[in-house]
Amino acid sequence: MTIEYATKYRTRSLIPPEPGKPYVIEKGMGDRAQLFGDLVTVYAGGEQTENTFNFFTCEGPKGDIIPAHSHPGTYEVFFVTQGAVRLFVEDLEGEQQERLLTSGDFGFVPKNCPHAYRMERHHTQIVGVAAGPGGTFERFFENLGTPTDGLTLPARPFVPAPEKFATVPQQYDVTFLPDHEWRTGS
């Protein structure tokens, strides 16, 4: 039996809107949103964890680099479950690195560190976890992107209007860095 909840974000969700309720979600049935060419599925967020962490997956095709950004108060984890992701990251001293992560590889990005990524193979999937004193940012995806009930990647990339990049991130501990340059070669 599956229980549906109404949340402040959705009229139908399998995620309870408050902490302290155990729950189970079948594969792919979390709150889903399309952003760029990716499908993001949230399984646990701030409401369920008292803003201590979130847990989501991001699936996508081989594509363009996700815009450079940082999280002033949030640590982020990238764990690749299938495919390959090129992770770009810059530490607090300005040293940049780029790594190709494949299935089973783990990447960690501390708060305040600029980073970006690019899916390098079709049907790539990342498990993401974010935590820190800045709260959680999982609702960023559906507020910048578009909520969906579908289980597939977008037929066409969903690219938000430029003015949306300036408003939504402030709520979700995301700072876009439009002039950031990666000097790593890829």
Side-chain angles (χ1 to χ4, degrees), residues 2-24:
T2 301
I3 298 173
E4 283 191 358
Y5 301 95
T7 72
K8 65 182 180 180
Y9 302 103
R10 296 175 178 263
T11 56
R12 291 184 0 233
S13 176
L14 300 178
I15 304 174
E18 67 277 329
K21 275 192 184 263
Y23 63 97
V24 174

Side-chain angles (χ1 to χ4, degrees), residues 81-101:
T81 56
Q82 65 185 44
V85 173
R86 187 166 305 276
L87 180 62
F88 301 84
V89 67
E90 182 175 309
D91 67 22
L92 297 176
E93 285 79 42
E95 185 175 329
Q96 293 185 357
Q97 62 177 298
E98 144 190 348
R99 291 307 252 286
L100 180 66
L101 306 178

Side-chain angles (χ1 to χ4, degrees), residues 24-25 38 69-70 89 123:
V24 174
I25 296 179
D38 300 340
H69 62 282
S70 66
V89 67
H123 307 291

